[in-house]
Amino acid sequence: MDVLSARPTRRSLLSGAAGAVSLIAAPSILRAQTKELVVGGAAGHKPWVEQVVVPAFEKKYNCKVLFEGTRSLVNLEKMQKNKGKQYMSVVQMDDPVMILAVKEDLLDPLTPGKAPNLSQLVPGSSHMEGMWANYLQPWLGVAYSKGAMKTPPSSWADLFDAKYKGRIIIPSLQNTEGLPVLFAAGMLAGGTLEAIQKDTDAGFKKLVSLKPNLLTIYTQQPQAYNLLEQGEAYMIGPAMSSYALERKAAGAPIDLVAPKEGVFAMPSGIAVIKGAPQAELAFAYVNELLGAELQEKLAGPTFSLATNKAVPRPAGLSADVTIHQIDWANVAAQRNDWIKRWDREMAI
Amino acid sequence: MSTARRFDPILLLAAPAVAYLTVVYGLPLLFLLGRSLLGAGGVSAFAGFFADPFSWTVLGNTVRSAALVTLVCLVIGYPTALVLARAGGFVQAAILVAIILPLSVGVVVKAFAWQIVLRRDGVVSQIFTGLGIWDEPQRLLFTETGLVIGAANIFVPFMILPIYSVLKLVDPRLGEAAATLGASPVYRFFKVAIPLSLPGIITGIAFVFSMAASMYVIPSLVIGDRFQTLATLTGRSFLFMRNEQLGSTTAVVLLALTIGIVVASSRLSRRLGGAA
């Protein structure tokens, strides 16, 4: 999700190190008394994890949860470097990074036996034979400045309208939320979502025509929203519900719309690390996040779609809006080539 | 002079610093070089890098923007250093504080501030349209001009301070002597002041150029994803493309570029310094 705005803080590193040391150094009796679970995730998740998930989980399982907020790729790095002597048990990362973790044999597959709520998820929420599952899906639409635009945008094509010269912001392909810009462009150029994901040529050609409209391509989400809120930018697309609607709720003069061609689901994955300390507790944690009870509590504050069948769609997204699911394995395989082409064709 | 070649025990005092730098700086550099050379392609990683026209665009972006930043810093910095060297007492202290204090403000904060100044309805745009230079408000944000202005603002103290430290040592009477011999102010400036301060100018250029060539945060905030420099490409290769060889290669090219500038300028500075 918010892979870019996060930095590993000294505190998170220290707490991680402290967790690791205490797990190794403390005698097993002591460990049995206060079970500790280290969860790695995005720094942006910290507020809701620590306010909603952790208190509920600690109470139910009589344990202590340490949440290390950083970026998905940093978490991957930590898992690689600690292979065989992991100190983190659970990891919350974006799907493209999960695929890399699977390739490096770092994840312990989820099964309905170990996490019963797995069977309660909407189709497409569990990936690569249960290696990880999506617990929430923020959706991607078009965010716009209410001050600058009298009529809200209704289609992805609005981004390309010549009257918005120099007023459009799109995310970089580096950012996970930036990848669907290529697919939205491909869809506008014609073709099915399935085909345009595999062959992005038409998408790239369409995107190049967006260049005169671009104010910038962001890698830092807060910067882009600053420009939108100040009215310098008119639209950001794709824009993440978990960020845009949170800004709207905080009083920013912006809104998020679901274009008529449909919205894209963002991947928020959760997995148990192979060789995890407290494996049983780790699966229990995953199970809780896949459960209706917690998802119902989180879908609202994170403005995301729940993946548990029992939880209804969030506000702002009517029942008839198509939600496109992206083929993240294809993304992982092709992303570097896309970034190379992007650098060449989207440059100033 | 030959006695100076004998081992001086006082050199041992540098041992901790040398050891520290070897461990935290020298060894990682060696690994970096090794990684760029000994990857899958060996030397061909560099051949591949230089064979790609995009690499030349990136190299061009890096050198051009760094050179422009250096030029702007020099044009703004030299007169400031001159005033600073001539001023005394409270005025000098005030100018020094004005130069040094902004260094304590983080680069990210400054970049955000420039975002406000450079936007379409920002101060710069308003002034230019108000003066009739521009017909309508223009956007400087996310352009190379904006990048140069923002970066120059951040690096200008590193141009002023070395020039100031040299100018301070120049005897002001040299200018007066030239004047008594009939030299005009312009002649005095170019034939007396500038040559005497060249070592400072060269040091300032080396500082600013090497910092501007390797800046990472400023381009990513002020200009965004569409303007790749060696530094941003290095970051992207390591962090997002997970292509360590490309990252190491671009890092080594950047290192060679900045070392080249620093070495050349220090040589030049020593020669000119000796001449002065």
Side-chain angles (χ1 to χ4, degrees), chain B residues 15-242:
Chain B
V18 171
Y20 177 77
L21 285 177
T22 309
V23 173
V24 305
Y25 199 66
L27 286 180
L29 268 185
L30 220 58
F31 287 140
L32 185 76
L33 193 65
R35 200 171 264 182
S36 71
L37 285 176
L38 303 176
V43 181
S44 67
F46 285 94
F49 176 78
F50 288 112
D52 184 349
F54 180 67
S55 306
W56 290 98
T57 312
V58 173
L59 207 56
N61 285 348
T62 311
V63 174
R64 190 181 57 246
S65 59
L68 285 171
V69 170
T70 313
L71 186 69
V72 173
C73 283
L74 185 61
V75 171
I76 298 172
Y78 192 88
T80 317
L82 206 59
V83 172
L84 188 61
R86 297 283 157 83
F90 175 75
V91 178
Q92 191 182 45
I95 299 175
L96 265 177
V97 167
I99 292 165
I100 293 168
L101 209 57
L103 288 175
S104 63
V105 178
V107 172
V108 176
V109 177
K110 281 187 193 164
F112 270 87
W114 277 110
Q115 190 171 299
I116 297 165
V117 175
L118 295 176
R119 63 190 208 201
R120 213 170 311 226
D121 57 355
V123 185
V124 178
S125 189
Q126 278 177 359
I127 290 175
F128 276 85
T129 26
L131 290 173
I133 299 170
W134 288 350
D135 293 336
E136 54 179 43
Q138 308 258 337
R139 174 172 62 86
L140 286 166
L141 202 54
F142 306 116
T143 62
E144 201 179 356
T145 316
L147 173 67
V148 170
I149 296 174
N153 163 251
I154 290 157
F155 295 136
V156 79
F158 299 97
M159 182 65 84
I160 298 174
L161 295 174
I163 300 178
Y164 158 69
S165 63
V166 171
L167 282 176
K168 201 176 55 175
L169 300 173
V170 173
D171 192 336
R173 286 174 303 178
L174 287 171
E176 292 162 18
T180 57
L181 293 171
S184 69
V186 175
Y187 189 88
R188 258 154 45 208
F189 179 73
F190 284 107
K191 292 288 176 183
V192 181
I194 294 259
L196 285 174
S197 54
L198 263 180
I201 294 177
I202 289 165
T203 311
I205 288 175
F207 272 170
V208 174
F209 187 90
S210 50
M211 282 193 294
S214 55
M215 61 185 173
Y216 177 76
V217 176
I218 307 167
S220 47
L221 285 178
V222 175
I223 200 164
D225 196 43
R226 303 173 71 195
F227 187 84
Q228 292 293 324
T229 62
L230 282 171
T232 55
L233 191 61
T234 306
R236 161 175 293 194
S237 308
F238 277 113
L239 295 171
F240 297 100
M241 296 163 78
R242 303 182 70 74

Side-chain angles (χ1 to χ4, degrees), chain A residues 9-24 31 34-43 45-51 53-59 61-70 75 78 86-92 270-271 273 277-278 281-282 285 289:
Chain A
T9 60
R10 192 174 62 164
R11 198 167 171 184
S12 72
L13 288 175
L14 279 177
S15 68
V21 168
S22 66
L23 283 175
I24 295 162
R31 249 187 286 167
T34 49
K35 286 182 286 183
E36 263 185 353
L37 189 72
V38 183
V39 177
H45 294 177
K46 209 174 173 71
W48 60 259
V49 170
E50 291 190 341
Q51 282 158 29
V53 181
V54 171
F57 188 77
E58 284 183 346
K59 203 172 152 203
Y61 290 89
N62 188 28
C63 65
K64 178 112 193 72
V65 177
L66 289 173
F67 183 77
E68 277 189 40
T70 170
N75 275 326
K78 284 195 263 185
Q86 300 287 355
Y87 71 96
M88 285 196 304
S89 298
V90 177
V91 69
Q92 294 170 211
I270 188 163
I273 298 169
Q278 308 289 356
L281 208 55
Y285 181 92
L289 266 179

